[in-house]
């Protein structure tokens, strides 16, 4: 009996705002529960419908794919003559790149990793020595030319100042 009296006294102490707040929270809880229930039912229905629809769609898709496959498809982008020429002359493999290289590449050792991937170690000493000798001559000539130009401008500046 005391419990009922406590509940009644609690309700008497609440104001109108409190009643509205409690009622809105209760309504919100009921709406969320009903939304979850509806979503669960829809998911179950979709799961039951999917196998039948997938079988029909797979058959149709496979037929369309078989009909639309082309052995040599036309390029989507129209290319100019220059682009076609570049496409034909493009280097497409590592071996072709090695054939066109100005400096032959020499390997120190070869390894086979996991019996699938072949790894080769390049001899960089011979490669760097030959390329450095060629570059040194060019660097000296261009640097010497710039130094001469710089000296000429310095002489002109000193003449103007005197």
């Amino acid at each position: 009996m005391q419990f009922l009296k406590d509940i009644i006294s609690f309700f008497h102490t609440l104001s109108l705002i409190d009643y509205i707040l409690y009622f809105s929270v209760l309504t919100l809880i009921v709406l969320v529960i009903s939304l979850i229930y509806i979503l669960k039912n829809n998911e179950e229905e979709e799961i039951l419908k999917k196998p039948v629809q997938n079988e029909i769609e797979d058959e149709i898709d496979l037929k369309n794919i078989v009909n639309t496959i082309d052995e040599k498809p036309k390029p989507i982008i129209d290319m100019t003559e220059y682009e076609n020429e570049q496409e034909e002359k493009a280097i497409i493999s590592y071996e072709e790149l090695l054939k066109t290289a100005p400096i032959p590449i020499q390997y120190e050792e070869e390894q086979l990793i996991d019996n699938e991937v072949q790894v080769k170690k390049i001899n960089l000493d011979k490669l760097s020595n030959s390329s450095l000798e060629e570059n040194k001559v060019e660097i000296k000539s261009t640097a010497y030319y710039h130094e001469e130009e710089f000296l000429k401008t310095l002489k002109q500046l000193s003449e103007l100042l005197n």
Side-chain angles (χ1 to χ4, degrees):
M1 211 53 186
Q2 181 64 25
F3 178 71
L4 289 175
K5 289 181 183 178
D6 289 340
I7 291 176
I8 292 172
S9 66
F10 172 73
F11 283 124
H12 285 291
T13 59
L14 295 177
S15 65
L16 180 64
I17 301 285
D18 294 332
Y19 285 118
I20 293 172
L21 179 68
Y22 288 134
F23 180 72
S24 62
V25 168
L26 184 66
T27 307
L28 184 64
I29 290 172
V30 169
L31 287 174
V32 167
I33 290 173
S34 63
L35 179 67
I36 291 172
Y37 176 76
I38 290 171
L39 289 175
K40 290 286 185 182
N41 278 345
N42 283 339
E43 287 177 4
E44 289 174 4
E45 289 177 7
E46 288 178 8
I47 290 172
L48 293 175
K49 289 180 183 179
K50 276 186 181 181
V52 174
Q53 289 178 348
N54 285 343
E55 290 174 5
I56 295 170
E57 289 176 0
D58 287 343
E59 290 176 12
I60 293 171
D61 289 338
L62 290 176
K63 289 177 184 176
N64 288 335
I65 291 171
V66 167
N67 292 333
T68 57
I69 288 179
D70 190 9
E71 292 293 322
K72 294 183 180 177
K74 297 177 182 175
I76 297 173
I77 301 170
D78 293 332
M79 295 194 293
T80 63
E81 289 180 25
Y82 175 76
E83 290 172 335
N84 286 331
E85 180 183 337
Q86 293 299 317
E87 186 70 27
E88 289 172 6
K89 291 182 178 179
I91 297 173
I92 52 175
S93 69
Y94 181 69
E95 288 77 23
E96 289 180 24
L97 179 63
L98 289 177
K99 289 177 186 175
T100 60
I103 302 169
I105 297 177
Q106 298 175 353
Y107 300 104
E108 287 182 8
E109 61 183 65
E110 297 181 15
Q111 292 179 350
L112 194 62
I113 299 175
D114 294 335
N115 293 329
E116 293 179 6
V117 180
Q118 185 177 10
V119 178
K120 299 178 181 180
K121 184 178 179 184
I122 297 174
N123 187 353
L124 295 176
D125 293 333
K126 292 181 181 178
L127 183 66
S128 63
N129 289 339
S130 61
S131 64
L132 284 177
E133 291 171 3
E134 294 174 5
N135 291 337
K136 284 180 184 177
V137 175
E138 293 177 16
I139 292 171
K140 287 181 181 178
S141 64
T142 56
Y144 184 71
Y145 174 76
H146 290 295
E147 287 178 10
E148 285 182 351
E149 291 293 320
F150 181 68
L151 285 174
K152 286 179 184 177
T153 53
L154 281 176
K155 287 179 183 179
Q156 290 174 355
L157 180 64
S158 66
E159 289 175 3
L160 289 173
L161 291 175
N162 292 335

